[in-house]
Tab-separated table of all heavy atoms in Angstrom:
chain	number	residue	atom	x	y	z
A	60	PRO	N	87.475	124.000	102.053
A	60	PRO	CA	87.634	122.903	103.031
A	60	PRO	C	88.906	122.142	102.754
A	60	PRO	O	88.975	121.273	101.890
A	60	PRO	CB	86.384	122.037	102.809
A	60	PRO	CG	85.918	122.357	101.443
A	60	PRO	CD	86.312	123.793	101.190
A	61	ARG	N	89.928	122.487	103.475
A	61	ARG	CA	91.218	121.846	103.235
A	61	ARG	C	91.205	120.385	103.648
A	61	ARG	O	91.943	119.572	103.128
A	61	ARG	CB	92.305	122.595	104.013
A	61	ARG	CG	92.512	123.992	103.487
A	61	ARG	CD	93.460	124.740	104.369
A	61	ARG	NE	94.759	124.051	104.425
A	61	ARG	CZ	95.753	124.408	105.243
A	61	ARG	NH1	95.579	125.410	106.071
A	61	ARG	NH2	96.879	123.777	105.230
A	62	ARG	N	90.378	120.057	104.613
A	62	ARG	CA	90.343	118.664	105.055
A	62	ARG	C	89.853	117.746	103.937
A	62	ARG	O	90.362	116.659	103.746
A	62	ARG	CB	89.428	118.541	106.271
A	62	ARG	CG	90.029	119.185	107.509
A	62	ARG	CD	89.157	118.934	108.716
A	62	ARG	NE	89.752	119.509	109.917
A	62	ARG	CZ	89.200	119.451	111.121
A	62	ARG	NH1	88.042	118.860	111.285
A	62	ARG	NH2	89.805	119.987	112.165
A	63	THR	N	88.860	118.218	103.211
A	63	THR	CA	88.373	117.392	102.110
A	63	THR	C	89.456	117.182	101.080
A	63	THR	O	89.650	116.082	100.579
A	63	THR	CB	87.149	118.064	101.475
A	63	THR	OG1	86.183	118.304	102.486
A	63	THR	CG2	86.557	117.175	100.393
A	64	GLY	N	90.190	118.246	100.804
A	64	GLY	CA	91.271	118.107	99.850
A	64	GLY	C	92.329	117.148	100.331
A	64	GLY	O	92.811	116.302	99.580
A	65	ALA	N	92.645	117.231	101.607
A	65	ALA	CA	93.643	116.317	102.173
A	65	ALA	C	93.138	114.882	102.096
A	65	ALA	O	93.875	113.980	101.757
A	65	ALA	CB	93.942	116.689	103.610
A	66	LEU	N	91.858	114.693	102.393
A	66	LEU	CA	91.307	113.347	102.316
A	66	LEU	C	91.368	112.828	100.896
A	66	LEU	O	91.683	111.661	100.667
A	66	LEU	CB	89.861	113.359	102.807
A	66	LEU	CG	89.695	113.434	104.323
A	66	LEU	CD1	88.225	113.507	104.690
A	66	LEU	CD2	90.318	112.213	104.982
A	67	LEU	N	91.081	113.700	99.936
A	67	LEU	CA	91.152	113.272	98.549
A	67	LEU	C	92.571	112.865	98.197
A	67	LEU	O	92.800	111.844	97.532
A	67	LEU	CB	90.680	114.404	97.626
A	67	LEU	CG	89.158	114.610	97.618
A	67	LEU	CD1	88.803	115.813	96.765
A	67	LEU	CD2	88.446	113.372	97.102
A	68	VAL	N	93.530	113.649	98.644
A	68	VAL	CA	94.926	113.319	98.360
A	68	VAL	C	95.295	111.992	99.000
A	68	VAL	O	95.924	111.123	98.377
A	68	VAL	CB	95.849	114.446	98.868
A	68	VAL	CG1	97.296	114.005	98.767
A	68	VAL	CG2	95.614	115.692	98.059
A	69	VAL	N	94.883	111.803	100.237
A	69	VAL	CA	95.193	110.545	100.930
A	69	VAL	C	94.525	109.380	100.219
A	69	VAL	O	95.140	108.320	100.019
A	69	VAL	CB	94.739	110.631	102.396
A	69	VAL	CG1	94.857	109.269	103.049
A	69	VAL	CG2	95.598	111.644	103.137
A	70	ALA	N	93.273	109.565	99.832
A	70	ALA	CA	92.560	108.488	99.140
A	70	ALA	C	93.233	108.164	97.819
A	70	ALA	O	93.414	107.003	97.474
A	70	ALA	CB	91.107	108.904	98.916
A	71	ALA	N	93.639	109.181	97.100
A	71	ALA	CA	94.313	108.949	95.826
A	71	ALA	C	95.632	108.219	96.050
A	71	ALA	O	95.959	107.265	95.344
A	71	ALA	CB	94.558	110.279	95.125
A	72	ALA	N	96.380	108.640	97.050
A	72	ALA	CA	97.650	107.974	97.334
A	72	ALA	C	97.413	106.530	97.730
A	72	ALA	O	98.120	105.620	97.278
A	72	ALA	CB	98.388	108.715	98.456
A	73	ALA	N	96.394	106.287	98.551
A	73	ALA	CA	96.105	104.920	98.973
A	73	ALA	C	95.707	104.078	97.758
A	73	ALA	O	96.140	102.932	97.622
A	73	ALA	CB	94.983	104.919	100.000
A	74	ALA	N	94.905	104.647	96.878
A	74	ALA	CA	94.497	103.899	95.696
A	74	ALA	C	95.706	103.566	94.837
A	74	ALA	O	95.840	102.453	94.323
A	74	ALA	CB	93.488	104.707	94.893
A	75	ILE	N	96.607	104.524	94.704
A	75	ILE	CA	97.801	104.275	93.892
A	75	ILE	C	98.644	103.182	94.544
A	75	ILE	O	99.133	102.273	93.874
A	75	ILE	CB	98.608	105.587	93.758
A	75	ILE	CG1	97.820	106.564	92.867
A	75	ILE	CG2	99.985	105.293	93.159
A	75	ILE	CD1	98.451	107.939	92.843
A	76	ILE	N	98.783	103.254	95.861
A	76	ILE	CA	99.609	102.256	96.557
A	76	ILE	C	98.968	100.880	96.418
A	76	ILE	O	99.629	99.893	96.099
A	76	ILE	CB	99.753	102.647	98.033
A	76	ILE	CG1	100.639	103.888	98.142
A	76	ILE	CG2	100.366	101.493	98.820
A	76	ILE	CD1	100.692	104.463	99.535
A	77	VAL	N	97.665	100.803	96.611
A	77	VAL	CA	96.983	99.515	96.514
A	77	VAL	C	97.125	98.965	95.095
A	77	VAL	O	97.409	97.782	94.889
A	77	VAL	CB	95.499	99.680	96.899
A	77	VAL	CG1	94.731	98.418	96.532
A	77	VAL	CG2	95.376	99.958	98.385
A	78	THR	N	96.949	99.834	94.114
A	78	THR	CA	97.086	99.381	92.729
A	78	THR	C	98.491	98.884	92.451
A	78	THR	O	98.697	97.850	91.836
A	78	THR	CB	96.752	100.553	91.775
A	78	THR	OG1	95.429	101.005	92.081
A	78	THR	CG2	96.801	100.072	90.331
A	79	ALA	N	99.482	99.606	92.957
A	79	ALA	CA	100.871	99.194	92.755
A	79	ALA	C	101.124	97.851	93.411
A	79	ALA	O	101.764	96.969	92.838
A	79	ALA	CB	101.812	100.258	93.322
A	80	VAL	N	100.614	97.688	94.620
A	80	VAL	CA	100.812	96.419	95.322
A	80	VAL	C	100.167	95.283	94.553
A	80	VAL	O	100.751	94.215	94.378
A	80	VAL	CB	100.268	96.509	96.755
A	80	VAL	CG1	100.252	95.135	97.394
A	80	VAL	CG2	101.108	97.468	97.570
A	81	MET	N	98.952	95.511	94.075
A	81	MET	CA	98.256	94.471	93.328
A	81	MET	C	99.034	94.127	92.048
A	81	MET	O	99.149	92.970	91.669
A	81	MET	CB	96.840	94.925	92.996
A	81	MET	CG	95.943	94.949	94.216
A	81	MET	SD	94.273	95.464	93.824
A	81	MET	CE	93.746	94.079	92.789
A	82	VAL	N	99.547	95.144	91.397
A	82	VAL	CA	100.310	94.903	90.170
A	82	VAL	C	101.546	94.090	90.483
A	82	VAL	O	101.896	93.146	89.785
A	82	VAL	CB	100.669	96.242	89.513
A	82	VAL	CG1	101.700	96.002	88.406
A	82	VAL	CG2	99.423	96.888	88.935
A	83	VAL	N	102.204	94.446	91.574
A	83	VAL	CA	103.419	93.706	91.957
A	83	VAL	C	103.072	92.262	92.272
A	83	VAL	O	103.765	91.332	91.862
A	83	VAL	CB	104.080	94.398	93.160
A	83	VAL	CG1	105.176	93.507	93.722
A	83	VAL	CG2	104.656	95.739	92.731
A	84	ILE	N	101.964	92.069	92.996
A	84	ILE	CA	101.582	90.698	93.350
A	84	ILE	C	101.243	89.905	92.083
A	84	ILE	O	101.643	88.760	91.927
A	84	ILE	CB	100.384	90.740	94.325
A	84	ILE	CG1	100.871	91.265	95.678
A	84	ILE	CG2	99.798	89.342	94.479
A	84	ILE	CD1	99.737	91.503	96.647
A	85	ARG	N	100.540	90.526	91.172
A	85	ARG	CA	100.185	89.812	89.948
A	85	ARG	C	101.431	89.547	89.095
A	85	ARG	O	101.547	88.532	88.456
A	85	ARG	CB	99.191	90.653	89.147
A	85	ARG	CG	97.783	90.594	89.706
A	85	ARG	CD	96.808	91.251	88.759
A	85	ARG	NE	95.431	91.169	89.244
A	85	ARG	CZ	94.398	91.585	88.551
A	85	ARG	NH1	94.571	92.151	87.361
A	85	ARG	NH2	93.187	91.470	89.038
A	86	ASP	N	102.304	90.509	89.090
A	86	ASP	CA	103.488	90.359	88.262
A	86	ASP	C	104.389	89.246	88.803
A	86	ASP	O	105.039	88.546	88.049
A	86	ASP	CB	104.258	91.697	88.222
A	86	ASP	CG	105.312	91.650	87.150
A	86	ASP	OD1	105.198	90.800	86.227
A	86	ASP	OD2	106.276	92.447	87.234
A	87	ASP	N	104.396	89.098	90.108
A	87	ASP	CA	105.271	88.100	90.705
A	87	ASP	C	104.446	87.187	91.600
A	87	ASP	O	104.415	87.340	92.809
A	87	ASP	CB	106.363	88.801	91.521
A	87	ASP	CG	107.431	87.802	91.934
A	87	ASP	OD1	107.416	86.669	91.427
A	87	ASP	OD2	108.280	88.163	92.765
A	88	PRO	N	103.699	86.271	91.028
A	88	PRO	CA	102.815	85.427	91.852
A	88	PRO	C	103.589	84.476	92.730
A	88	PRO	O	103.116	84.100	93.792
A	88	PRO	CB	101.988	84.664	90.813
A	88	PRO	CG	102.862	84.617	89.595
A	88	PRO	CD	103.659	85.919	89.609
A	89	ALA	N	104.746	84.068	92.301
A	89	ALA	CA	105.523	83.142	93.114
A	89	ALA	C	106.109	83.887	94.310
A	89	ALA	O	106.924	84.778	94.158
A	89	ALA	CB	106.644	82.548	92.279
A	90	THR	N	105.639	83.502	95.461
A	90	THR	CA	106.158	84.133	96.667
A	90	THR	C	107.605	83.721	96.881
A	90	THR	O	107.993	82.624	96.486
A	90	THR	CB	105.298	83.733	97.871
A	90	THR	OG1	105.319	82.311	97.959
A	90	THR	CG2	103.892	84.226	97.722
A	91	PRO	N	108.371	84.574	97.484
A	91	PRO	CA	109.763	84.226	97.732
A	91	PRO	C	109.857	83.007	98.617
A	91	PRO	O	109.150	82.874	99.609
A	91	PRO	CB	110.345	85.473	98.410
A	91	PRO	CG	109.154	86.244	98.884
A	91	PRO	CD	108.042	85.915	97.927
A	92	SER	N	110.724	82.091	98.253
A	92	SER	CA	110.808	80.815	98.975
A	92	SER	C	111.515	80.980	100.304
A	92	SER	O	111.720	80.013	101.015
A	92	SER	CB	111.573	79.794	98.112
A	92	SER	OG	112.881	80.276	97.869
Side-chain angles (χ1 to χ4, degrees):
R61 293 174 60 187
R62 289 185 178 180
T63 305
L66 283 177
L67 285 176
V68 172
V69 171
I75 291 172
I76 290 172
V77 169
T78 303
V80 170
M81 288 181 66
V82 168
V83 169
I84 289 173
R85 283 189 178 185
D86 191 21
D87 191 11
T90 57
S92 61

